[in-house]
Amino acid sequence: RLALEQSRKAEFICTVALYRPNLQTITFRGETKGIILEQPVTEIEHGIPLSSVFLPDDHAKVYSAMTKEEFIQVSHRGKAIRLCRNFLEKKIVKFQ
C-alpha cells in the first residue's frame, strides 16, 4: 500500500550548461523552493499547470500571478541564466 506524502514542499531546479569547444563545460544551477497549494490561485495555463499552484518561499504570489519581471527574478530558470550571464560578462571584461 502506498503512503500519501503529506508535505506540500516543492523545488524547481534548472541547470544551464555552457559548452565551449576544447574547454571544460560549465554548468549553472538555479533553484526555487516553495509549496504546492491545494487549489489553483489563477487560471490553469496549458502546458504549465503547476504555475497556478506553486508558491515560492517568501513570496505572496504563485508563478502565474507574477509579472514577467517578478517571475524572471524568482524563477529557477531566471536564476540559472543570470549566473551564466554573470560568468560570461566577467569573462568578456577580463579579455578586453
Side-chain angles (χ1 to χ4, degrees):
R1 182 174 171 173
L2 296 175
L4 294 177
E5 179 63 47
Q6 297 302 313
S7 173
R8 301 197 68 83
K9 292 181 182 178
E11 182 175 6
F12 283 105
I13 299 170
C14 175
T15 302
V16 172
L18 176 61
Y19 171 75
R20 304 168 302 160
N22 303 317
L23 294 172
Q24 180 182 7
T25 298
I26 301 172
T27 58
F28 305 90
R29 179 182 165 117
E31 53 188 65
T32 302
K33 294 181 181 187
I35 60 170
I36 302 295
L37 302 177
E38 292 187 15
Q39 297 291 321
V41 175
T42 61
E43 198 170 309
I44 296 175
E45 295 182 47
H46 178 72
I48 48 173
L50 285 178
S51 67
S52 64
V53 293
F54 180 71
L55 181 64
D57 288 348
D58 302 320
H59 289 82
K61 298 178 188 175
V62 295
Y63 266 177
S64 61
M66 294 180 179
T67 65
K68 184 177 179 180
E69 292 76 22
E70 290 171 327
F71 177 74
I72 290 169
Q73 290 301 310
V74 174
S75 83
H76 51 299
R77 291 184 191 108
K79 291 175 183 177
I81 292 294
R82 263 192 313 285
L83 290 170
C84 182
R85 183 186 69 203
N86 291 342
F87 172 84
L88 290 170
E89 287 173 347
K90 287 178 185 174
K91 290 294 183 185
I92 290 169
V93 171
K94 187 176 180 179
F95 292 116
Q96 287 183 350

